[in-house]
Amino acid sequence: MAEKRETPQLDELEKGPWPSFVTQIKRAGEKNAMADDLLGLLETSYEDKVGHWKHGGIVGVKGYGGGVIGRYTDMPEEFPNISEFHTVRVAQPSGWFYTTDMLREICDVWEERGSGLTNMHGSTGDIILLGTTTDQLQPIFDDISDRGFDLGGSGSDLRSPSCCVGPGRCEHACYDTLDMCYDLTNEYQDEIHRPMWPYKFKFKMSGCANDCVAAQARADCSIIGTWRDSIIIDQDEVKKYAADGLDIQMDVCHRCPSHCLTYDKDTQELSVNAEECTRCMHCINVMGKAIKQGKEKGATIMIGAKSTIVKSAFMSWVIVPFMKMEPPYTEFKEMMDRIWDWWDENGKTRERIGELIYRLGMGEFLRATGIPAVPQMVYRPRANPYVFWQKDEIEV
């Protein structure tokens, strides 16, 4: 390897108590020329205050339209080892459960055929393999395929579905997120690997309203575990929490967003007005031994979250307050087919489903997809005094 690079600006990012990506790139650069040139290009970008990457065309593997992001530098003469620096997305297992042996095999492939730099995991959830050349893309795909892995989504397609650890490690899961993620990944192989829509679409599955994968803020379709009946209260456990010093009135009842809980200090019993409960998980998080979710479990389906693209960042809208989530998920898949057909027919280039709903209106979306309107769709009740009737609803 050439003499050590001078990177005074990047060195600043190694100061302080936290781990630094700069340190990791330096370590990789000691044995990999691509990583070393990446360090130099990054230092140059900090000096010039401009990024030195450009889009140089579509690259990929045989039969796939997604899974590889083509990346080239606009300074190939100064940094020849990263004149091509493509990113490969590898679809993650449900809940990100790996064996250490399998992770070592993936890393061995990448050190042989790429920069050795990885991102575990990207915003979509995939394993991100950072930096390789065009001639290595097909061999990388062949190597990871032999080990049972597949490419994830990229471009205007379905991105790799991702989920929380669900019933694998969490008692709060209201449906099997791991199974549903695996099922949708297999069901929608064409949609993942062959871009066919106006822009990208993401599924994210959280087993409860704690939403550990932040689906409500990031996914075009968020599937959030919930229950339809009342929470289950164990009064003996409530008394134990009180005896241990928990201020149930202040820390539980007072902080309930809908104030549906009532605590009787004399009897030390807790009661709930189930009709007012929004199933937010606060009381369960604080008093996990005393309060459990209801028995009739399923999921709330939400639509439209995204970061800023054409419009500003959106949070999800509720479209189905409760749906049973049991294999083979037929009701959910049939609904998604209708939603995708409408988006494909009406969406503009690079317009996410949430932006299309914002442009054409929730009413238009609901009528086209056959989804009934429900009160949970209303953000601020009675904020809009106007009722818009459809022509076929007016008696002449």
Side-chain angles (χ1 to χ4, degrees), residues 164-221:
C164 68
V165 297
R169 291 186 64 185
C170 181
E171 63 184 8
H172 297 322
C174 292
Y175 70 100
D176 193 336
T177 57
L178 304 172
D179 179 75
M180 188 176 190
C181 184
Y182 181 72
D183 186 284
L184 296 184
T185 301
N186 284 287
E187 178 79 15
Y188 297 123
Q189 284 290 292
D190 275 356
E191 288 80 359
I192 292 173
H193 296 308
R194 294 166 182 84
M196 59 181 73
W197 292 327
Y199 202 28
K200 59 187 172 184
F201 193 97
K202 296 181 179 180
F203 285 127
K204 292 189 186 297
M205 286 145 270
S206 287
C208 73
N210 285 328
D211 194 12
C212 291
V213 294
Q216 296 171 68
R218 303 191 299 152
D220 298 272
C221 181

Side-chain angles (χ1 to χ4, degrees), residues 4-7 10-11 21-27 29 33-46 79 82 117:
K4 183 179 178 181
R5 283 188 187 277
E6 298 297 324
T7 55
L10 294 181
D11 293 346
F21 73 95
V22 174
T23 302
Q24 302 304 317
I25 296 177
K26 286 181 177 179
R27 287 179 60 187
M34 295 185 78
D36 186 59
D37 268 11
L38 177 65
L39 199 66
L41 183 71
L42 190 57
E43 178 72 18
T44 302
S45 293
Y46 273 70
F79 305 102
I82 54 171
L117 297 170

Side-chain angles (χ1 to χ4, degrees), residues 207-272:
C208 73
N210 285 328
D211 194 12
C212 291
V213 294
Q216 296 171 68
R218 303 191 299 152
D220 298 272
C221 181
S222 313
I223 308 160
I224 312 296
T226 190
W227 62 97
R228 186 153 51 182
D229 51 346
S230 177
I231 57 173
I232 300 168
I233 302 175
D234 185 330
Q235 300 297 350
D236 291 335
E237 291 293 340
V238 172
K239 292 180 174 63
K240 291 180 182 179
Y241 276 104
D244 289 340
L246 176 66
D247 189 336
I248 297 175
Q249 181 60 45
M250 286 301 298
D251 294 340
V252 182
C253 299
H254 185 68
R255 293 179 178 175
C256 171
S258 61
H259 300 289
C260 69
L261 293 168
T262 302
Y263 179 62
D264 188 323
K265 289 187 177 180
D266 294 330
T267 63
Q268 291 189 327
E269 291 190 350
L270 189 68
S271 59
V272 60

